[in-house]
């Protein structure tokens, strides 16, 4: 620590000491002021949901204790403006430099660009780092200089390139800036991350399931690499039990870095290769690569009548997490079976997911809805019964999360509606009373989905004709569906000549409204009269008060599954505590390539929103 700089280290979603390039750089160059700023106004419509805020509330004290043990406590600030809060910190201690690690979601890009310009104009040195990814988004192109449109091709390209997986060393000591006492810091409770007693009560379940904090993240990673990785390819797609790494919320909040994960997995791979453990190769590859309001309420509560979907929704509510395969199944069910606009589901997930992540999760919902070039087909309709037999063949997962079906024989566990009445009676299942009948029949869902797709194309054709403003021969419309296929353009210049902290995309003067121009959502309709009706979405609270019984932390914590004395008690237990929803929307099945944000504003729901997770996070 030979330098004499006074540096403000701005923590965001990089809540760790180890492999934190911004913190390491500041520690090398002189005295530091670690700061975390909570500014709800900056988040806007993407204000973090209940579970994300709970995780943050647990993680910040963990980080603060670690920093204090190195000699410099974390300053917590609740602010109306992040820029003003940073300026006050800089002025209070006479800092000349600000460092932070990159974020890539559009809200953060706009905010960070503004802060960089304002502080640079005042003579403050700004430097940002890649603390989250193996490669920056602008570093990977195909051989023609084009961006990739499919994940497989992108992954193959990444595996061909060298990877600098050497994590930044954690500082062994921090020198606090002079005048630290002049910076006003609040307590974590004063940040207001839990906004009500109801939220605190709901979050009690999460406390029993997870252990936030960067040291706990490292323990989880080491536990998985030592005991779970070898058979990951065999068990990774099973939805019952702790078959995955459970690292997704830790990765989202930056409590463990991707470089650290890669390095540890790679070291284990080399060890297995030297030992001749051939079955490890597939596991390594697999891991690294890895409608109306009543209908929506039933989906949120885990009361659709399809056991695998209901089990997934109940686990999600109770733990703030669920397996990536389950995320695909429950989101696909919402969009394709119930014709729920994907933005509704996205906003609900934003509220309940611990690893809710804006920049990638919206793409996940678009992938499911068929809006992306390499996404699911528009007409794809996955049968939950078949999915259950494939991913939960013994019914363990369903029985864990749906105690009403705990005594159902495996033969009928994924389709209890087909079971003989004598089987249902012995199992204590009363369809339509203590467990619902299917909310929609598979054949009816198929008809309505086909009708919706047909209606969407008809409306699309009408819009195109209106734009052409003239007579068009019918035959000329044969390729109307390809009009808005997204085009991937060549990069204009190589970014390599720019300093690393200048390579993060930023808002240009020509595109002052990034949210409305870059992230514009289309208004495509999906109408099925029998399934959707107009309504106004209101603010809701999360529902699905279901029993829980799944381990979610390295300390072997388990949930207690209560038993119900009567069907009436079960019925009472799952009553909705939420509100109503937005009416028939034109979000579902939007034509490929159009995006999301402006239309999302028009249908706020469920305590501020939702999200679905990326493959990396649910690995």
């Amino acid at each position: 620590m030979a330098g004499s700089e006074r540096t403000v280290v701005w923590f965001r979603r990089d809540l760790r000491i180890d492999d934190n390039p911004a913190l390491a750089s500041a520690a090398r160059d002189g005295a530091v002021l670690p700061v975390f700023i909570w500014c709800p106004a900056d988040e806007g419509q993407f204000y973090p949901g209940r579970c994300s805020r709970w995780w943050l509330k647990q993680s910040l004290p963990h980080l603060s204790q670690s920093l204090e043990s190195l000699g410099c406590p974390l300053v917590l600030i609740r602010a109306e403006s992040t820029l003003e809060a940073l300026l006050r910190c800089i002025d209070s201690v006479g800092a000349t430099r600000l460092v932070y690690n990159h974020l890539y979601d559009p809200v953060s890009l706009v905010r960070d660009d503004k802060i960089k310009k304002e502080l640079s104009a005042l003579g403050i040195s700004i430097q940002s780092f890649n603390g989250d990814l193996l490669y920056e988004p602008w570093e990977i192109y195909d051989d023609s200089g084009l961006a990739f449109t499919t994940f497989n091709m992108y992954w193959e390209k990444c595996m061909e390139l060298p990877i600098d997986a050497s994590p930044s060393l954690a500082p062994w000591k921090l020198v606090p800036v002079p005048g630290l006492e002049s910076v006003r810091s609040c307590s974590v409770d004063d940040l207001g991350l839990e906004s009500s007693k109801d939220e605190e009560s709901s979050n009690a379940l999460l406390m029993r399931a997870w252990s936030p904090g960067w040291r706990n993240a490292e323990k989880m990673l080491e536990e998985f690499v030592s005991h779970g990785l070898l058979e990951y390819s065999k068990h990774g797609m099973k939805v019952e039990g702790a078959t995955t790494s459970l690292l997704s919320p830790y990765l989202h909040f930056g409590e463990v870095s991707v470089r650290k994960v890669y390095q540890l997995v790679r070291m284990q791979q080399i060890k297995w290769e030297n030992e001749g453990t051939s079955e490890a190769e597939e596991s390594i590859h697999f891991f690294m690569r890895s409608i109306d309001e009543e209908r929506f309420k039933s989906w949120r509560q885990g009361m659709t009548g399809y056991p695998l979907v209901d089990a997934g929704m109940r686990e999600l509510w109770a733990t703030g997490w669920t397996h990536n395969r389950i995320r695909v199944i429950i989101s696909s069910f919402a969009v394709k079976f119930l014709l729920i606009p994907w933005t509704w589901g996205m906003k609900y997930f934003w509220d309940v997911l611990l690893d809710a992540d804006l920049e990638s999760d919206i793409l996940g919902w678009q992938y499911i809805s068929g809006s992306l070039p390499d996404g699911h087909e528009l007409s794809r309709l996955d049968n939950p019964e078949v999915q259950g037999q494939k991913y939960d063949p013994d019914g363990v997962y369903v029985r864990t999360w749906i105690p009403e079906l705990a005594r159902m024989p495996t033969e009928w566990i994924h389709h209890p509606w087909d079971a003989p009445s004598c089987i249902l009676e012995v199992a204590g299942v009363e369809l339509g009373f203590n467990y619902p009948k299917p909310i929609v029949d598979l054949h009816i869902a198929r008809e309505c989905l086909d009708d919706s797709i047909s209606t969407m194309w008809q409306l699309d054709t009408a819009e195109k004709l209106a734009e052409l403003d003239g007579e068009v021969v019918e035959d000329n419309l044969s390729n109307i569906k390809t009009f808005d296929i997204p085009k991937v353009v060549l990069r204009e210049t190589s970014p390599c000549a720019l300093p690393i902290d200048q390579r993060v995309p930023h808002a240009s003067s020509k595109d002052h409204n990034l949210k409305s121009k870059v992230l514009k959502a289309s208004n495509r309709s999906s109408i099925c009269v029998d399934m959707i009706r107009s309504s106004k979405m209101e603010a809701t609270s999360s529902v699905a008060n279901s029993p829980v019984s799944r381990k979610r932390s390295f300390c072997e914590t388990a949930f207690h599954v209560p038993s119900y004395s009567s069907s009436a008690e079960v019925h009472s237990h799952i009553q909705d505590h939420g509100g109503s929803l937005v009416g028939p929307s034109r979000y579902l099945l939007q034509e490929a390539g159009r995006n999301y944000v402006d239309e999302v504003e028009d249908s706020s729901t469920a305590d501020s929103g939702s999200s679905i997770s990326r493959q990396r996070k649910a690995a």
Side-chain angles (χ1 to χ4, degrees):
M1 266 168 289
S4 59
E5 287 272 13
R6 296 185 182 185
T7 304
V8 173
V9 183
W10 181 21
F11 283 88
R12 287 102 69 80
R13 293 204 299 268
D14 51 351
L15 307 181
R16 64 181 184 272
I17 304 297
D18 194 25
D19 191 27
N20 188 320
L23 178 63
S25 174
R28 284 194 303 268
D29 295 339
V32 302
L33 174 63
V35 174
F36 178 86
I37 300 170
W38 178 244
C39 182
D42 279 357
E43 305 296 337
Q45 61 174 320
F46 293 109
Y47 179 74
R50 172 182 62 84
C51 289
S52 292
R53 286 182 277 113
W54 171 84
W55 189 284
L56 195 57
K57 185 176 181 180
Q58 313 308 313
S59 185
L60 286 172
H62 188 100
L63 175 64
S64 183
Q65 291 170 9
S66 299
L67 288 168
E68 194 162 5
S69 68
L70 296 176
C72 193
L74 177 67
V75 173
L76 299 177
I77 300 174
R78 182 180 175 97
E80 295 299 321
S81 166
T82 300
L83 174 59
E84 291 179 3
L86 287 171
L87 283 171
R88 285 196 298 271
C89 290
I90 291 169
D91 291 342
S92 297
V93 300
T96 57
R97 182 174 176 234
L98 172 71
V99 297
Y100 56 87
N101 293 312
H102 297 163
L103 293 177
Y104 304 91
D105 62 277
V107 174
S108 297
L109 287 175
V110 173
R111 178 193 58 213
D112 293 359
D113 181 61
K114 177 182 178 181
I115 288 173
K116 183 179 293 186
K117 289 177 178 178
E118 293 282 347
L119 294 185
S120 296
L122 296 174
I124 304 300
S125 173
I126 313 291
Q127 190 172 8
S128 58
F129 300 84
N130 173 14
D132 190 42
L133 307 175
L134 291 178
Y135 299 105
E136 295 282 22
W138 53 86
E139 293 177 343
I140 308 297
Y141 292 89
D142 65 17
D143 294 336
S144 302
L146 298 170
F148 289 96
T149 58
T150 64
F151 176 76
N152 286 339
M153 295 174 62
Y154 172 81
W155 176 254
E156 290 171 3
K157 181 68 174 182
C158 288
M159 292 299 96
E160 295 174 0
L161 300 176
I163 296 178
D164 180 11
S166 302
S168 304
L169 294 177
W172 61 273
K173 183 180 180 181
L174 295 174
V175 176
V177 294
L180 175 62
E181 63 279 358
S182 64
V183 181
R184 181 177 298 179
S185 179
C186 68
S187 69
V188 70
D189 288 330
D190 291 336
L191 294 179
L193 295 171
E194 285 182 315
S195 59
S196 67
K197 291 295 182 182
D198 288 340
E199 284 196 348
E200 292 180 14
S201 176
S202 297
N203 292 340
L205 287 173
L206 300 175
M207 183 65 75
R208 299 170 61 188
W210 295 90
S211 299
W214 72 275
R215 291 191 184 277
N216 295 328
E218 293 193 346
K219 292 178 182 178
M220 290 284 286
L221 174 60
E222 292 167 1
E223 173 98 3
F224 173 73
V225 171
S226 299
H227 304 291
L229 180 59
L230 182 60
E231 296 189 330
Y232 183 74
S233 63
K234 184 187 301 183
H235 302 304
M237 296 304 286
K238 292 181 179 179
V239 295
E240 81 280 0
T243 58
T244 68
S245 68
L246 304 179
L247 288 174
S248 57
Y250 298 100
L251 285 166
H252 171 71
F253 286 99
E255 294 173 336
V256 65
S257 71
V258 173
R259 278 188 297 267
K260 186 70 174 286
V261 175
Y262 184 90
Q263 182 191 51
L264 202 56
V265 171
R266 181 65 179 135
M267 290 173 62
Q268 186 68 45
Q269 180 183 17
I270 294 172
K271 178 175 179 285
W272 283 335
E273 288 174 352
N274 293 335
E275 295 173 351
T277 310
S278 57
E279 64 269 25
E281 182 177 355
E282 186 177 359
S283 288
I284 293 288
H285 175 75
F286 191 41
F287 176 70
M288 295 300 291
R289 195 177 177 269
S290 308
I291 201 103
D292 55 282
E293 67 183 60
E294 294 304 322
R295 292 178 183 273
F296 187 51
K297 282 169 141 182
S298 298
W299 178 74
R300 294 187 345 251
Q301 289 176 312
M303 295 293 287
T304 69
Y306 287 91
L308 188 65
V309 174
D310 293 341
M313 294 303 293
R314 296 186 190 189
E315 181 189 31
L316 178 62
W317 165 247
T319 71
W321 188 93
T322 192
H323 190 287
N324 178 62
R325 178 51 49 185
I326 294 297
R327 298 185 194 205
V328 171
I329 291 169
I330 60 183
S331 57
S332 178
F333 183 88
V335 173
K336 298 299 183 69
F337 270 73
L338 304 183
L339 296 185
I340 293 172
W342 64 262
T343 51
W344 297 13
M346 181 195 75
K347 289 183 174 183
Y348 178 70
F349 274 28
W350 181 260
D351 185 49
V352 297
L353 273 174
L354 289 166
D355 51 24
D357 195 278
L358 176 61
E359 65 267 30
S360 61
D361 293 351
I362 288 179
L363 293 180
W365 277 94
Q366 291 188 345
Y367 176 91
I368 292 301
S369 69
S371 302
L372 299 181
D374 63 338
H376 284 183
E377 299 87 351
L378 288 176
S379 59
R380 176 169 171 171
L381 193 71
D382 293 326
N383 188 333
E385 177 186 342
V386 175
Q387 299 286 305
Q389 293 168 350
K390 181 176 181 180
Y391 297 111
D392 185 30
D394 298 322
V396 176
Y397 179 73
V398 166
R399 292 188 184 93
T400 298
W401 293 104
I402 308 181
E404 306 96 300
L405 301 181
R407 297 169 61 189
M408 281 293 293
T410 301
E411 179 183 358
W412 308 104
I413 191 70
H414 292 296
H415 55 124
W417 56 86
D418 288 332
S421 57
C422 59
I423 297 292
L424 293 173
E425 183 177 356
V426 171
V429 177
E430 302 175 63
L431 293 179
F433 190 54
N434 67 347
Y435 187 71
K437 296 177 181 179
I439 194 170
V440 60
D441 180 78
L442 177 64
H443 300 295
I444 294 177
R446 162 55 63 194
E447 292 176 3
C448 287
L449 179 61
D450 291 343
D451 289 345
S452 298
I453 294 173
S454 176
T455 301
M456 180 194 73
W457 288 126
Q458 290 174 17
L459 291 173
D460 183 81
T461 301
E463 287 186 7
K464 297 304 178 184
L465 286 172
E467 291 173 6
L468 292 173
D469 193 24
E471 293 187 12
V472 179
V473 179
E474 180 67 21
D475 289 346
N476 292 342
L477 297 179
S478 58
N479 294 320
I480 191 74
K481 298 179 184 180
T482 66
F483 278 9
D484 285 327
I485 297 293
K487 306 298 190 300
V488 181
V489 299
L490 283 165
R491 56 185 174 186
E492 294 181 2
T493 58
S494 171
C496 297
L498 297 174
I500 188 168
D501 61 315
Q502 298 298 321
R503 297 182 193 172
V504 178
H506 62 276
S508 68
S509 59
K510 294 181 180 179
D511 209 359
H512 63 280
N513 193 346
L514 180 66
K515 184 165 66 175
S516 63
K517 291 187 176 181
V518 179
L519 308 177
K520 185 68 176 174
S522 67
N523 226 1
R524 293 293 161 257
S525 104
S526 88
I527 300 173
C528 182
V529 175
D530 292 336
M531 297 186 66
I532 316 176
R533 68 172 183 268
S534 297
S535 60
K536 175 68 177 177
M537 180 168 290
E538 303 169 356
T540 66
S541 60
S542 303
V543 286
N545 291 330
S546 306
V548 295
S549 65
R550 181 169 177 185
K551 176 172 75 72
R552 270 292 171 273
S553 73
F554 65 89
C555 57
E556 302 296 327
T557 301
F559 290 110
H560 169 66
V561 182
S563 59
Y564 295 103
S565 57
S566 67
S567 299
E569 186 177 353
V570 176
H571 181 72
S572 174
H573 187 70
I574 52 83
Q575 289 301 306
D576 184 18
H577 300 292
S580 58
L581 311 163
V582 73
S585 128
R586 303 179 64 198
Y587 303 127
L588 176 68
L589 305 175
Q590 58 188 357
E591 59 191 286
R594 298 206 180 182
N595 284 306
Y596 46 82
V597 167
D598 284 20
E599 306 302 329
V600 171
E601 292 179 340
D602 296 334
S603 57
S604 59
T605 184
D607 283 350
S608 79
S610 67
S611 179
I612 190 172
S613 148
R614 63 184 123 186
Q615 293 253 0
R616 183 203 77 182
K617 297 193 306 178

